[in-house]
Amino acid sequence: MKKITLTDKRKSNYYYNEAIKTLRTNIQLSGQSIKTILITSCFPNEGKSDVVLSLAQELGSIGKKVLLLDADIRKTAYAGRLGVEEEVKGLSQFLSGQVNINDIIYETNYENMDIIFGGPSAPNPSGLLSENIFQLFLKKVREYYSYILIDTPPIGTVIDAAVIGRHCDGAIFLIEPGNVRYKDAQKALSQLERSGCQILGAVMNKIDTKADKYYSSYYKHYGEYYRRAEENNK
Ligand SMILES: Nc1ncnc2c1ncn2[C@@H]1O[C@H](COP(=O)(O)OP(=O)(O)O)[C@@H](O)[C@H]1O
Ligand SMILES: [Mg+2]
């Protein structure tokens, strides 16, 4: 397996880290049969890719063998965000038969965390993900990893997450409060449910708990995840 060095440029934040830990615990409590987990949300930029990365790092740090799978072939996030300059092969190339499974799994400098990049954007991502090869691939990797965390495009915009959901054990639905209308969230959730995937829970992202008592209580009860927006804007 090839090795790659990833550089996470995000600033560490105590509350953020604690919320990720809570999320990790809740996932562990979901049971051992929950291995392949997708993360989606209604819209782009709600923070899915960020949560997937933090969660993968966290699970790896406690000794779980984790595979981070970037299945957002439309807007692949990680190579650019994590300072990868060399050319890497990714999921779209594997699904279209150009490379083998061994060519796309990279061992990283994060403990117990391997990664599969999205690869170059393909003309028909949902078509590629519907292929039998994707299902077979998930079957194979689940023998080796404790968790496969799957980053997906927004389900309110494209169908990919629902296609992936057919073959996953569970889904986490992420919401950026204030940015998503109730109706949109409901529509997205029922789309996800129709895929037959078990919805494990919701994560509220980009919450300033100090500014809003209401969300603050949500944080306490459900261990939601937030990072203060201003830190990100620096
Ligand atoms: N909790 C957060 N607080 C502030 N900014 C965030 C938070 N999570 C993500 N972001 C920022 O929002 C943008 C979109 O995040 P990203 O993970 O790419 O979203 P998605 O995968 O849902 O499109 C990025 O610039 C990211 O750094
Ligand atoms: Mg993303």
Side-chain angles (χ1 to χ4, degrees):
M1 196 190 300
K2 277 173 274 180
K3 272 195 177 171
I4 199 155
T5 303
L6 308 176
T7 315
D8 188 347
K9 299 168 200 138
R10 296 176 299 174
K11 281 207 184 90
S12 177
N13 176 289
Y14 173 79
Y15 297 102
Y16 172 105
N17 295 343
E18 286 303 303
I20 289 290
K21 282 195 174 92
T22 307
L23 183 58
R24 179 263 291 165
T25 308
N26 287 339
I27 287 172
Q28 287 182 284
L29 291 172
S30 303
Q32 282 188 350
S33 60
I34 307 289
K35 280 189 152 205
T36 45
I37 301 169
L38 76 82
I39 285 88
T40 197
S41 73
C42 284
F43 302 122
N45 291 320
E46 292 192 71
K48 297 176 284 301
S49 301
D50 255 23
V51 170
V52 173
L53 174 62
S54 299
L55 197 53
Q57 290 167 330
E58 169 61 24
L59 280 163
S61 77
I62 60 153
K64 302 289 173 195
K65 192 88 191 120
V66 185
L67 177 65
L68 190 168
L69 171 61
D70 184 2
D72 186 350
I73 299 171
R74 297 168 196 263
K75 184 187 145 198
T76 159
Y78 298 106
R81 204 171 284 189
L82 295 170
V84 175
E85 278 168 13
E86 65 198 89
E87 202 199 312
V88 286
K89 304 280 185 228
L91 185 66
S92 61
Q93 286 148 311
F94 169 69
L95 294 179
S96 58
Q98 298 174 52
V99 296
N100 295 320
I101 190 165
N102 296 331
D103 300 323
I104 58 166
I105 305 184
Y106 291 86
E107 190 182 334
T108 74
N109 47 314
Y110 292 103
E111 239 178 312
N112 300 309
M113 185 186 118
D114 295 345
I115 191 166
I116 294 181
F117 298 98
S121 59
N124 181 11
S126 45
L128 275 185
L129 294 161
S130 311
E131 301 271 350
N132 213 13
I133 183 172
F134 184 63
Q135 190 180 353
L136 293 174
F137 156 82
L138 284 182
K139 234 184 191 167
K140 192 158 186 162
V141 285
R142 68 178 296 137
E143 286 169 20
Y144 185 67
Y145 292 97
S146 309
Y147 292 100
I148 297 119
L149 300 182
I150 308 176
D151 188 27
T152 68
I155 196 163
T157 322
V158 289
I159 195 73
D160 306 16
V163 172
I164 296 166
R166 282 184 216 146
H167 312 299
C168 284
D169 305 324
I172 296 171
F173 189 66
L174 188 136
I175 304 173
E176 182 183 344
N179 215 21
V180 179
R181 287 177 308 176
Y182 179 74
K183 228 172 96 189
D184 291 324
Q186 263 209 329
K187 212 171 130 197
L189 270 175
S190 59
Q191 178 82 269
L192 201 53
E193 268 166 0
R194 276 201 298 275
S195 78
C197 184
Q198 184 190 342
I199 296 167
L200 301 174
V203 167
M204 291 207 187
N205 192 30
K206 302 199 189 182
I207 295 170
D208 186 345
T209 53
K210 287 203 179 107
D212 197 319
K213 266 178 150 173
Y214 171 75
Y215 291 134
S216 164
S217 73
Y218 259 88
Y219 174 75
K220 272 192 216 122
H221 292 306
Y222 299 111
E224 265 72 7
Y225 151 107
Y226 86 101
R227 199 165 75 233
R228 296 186 69 188
E230 63 261 36
E231 300 218 346
N232 221 53
N233 293 334
K234 273 184 191 154

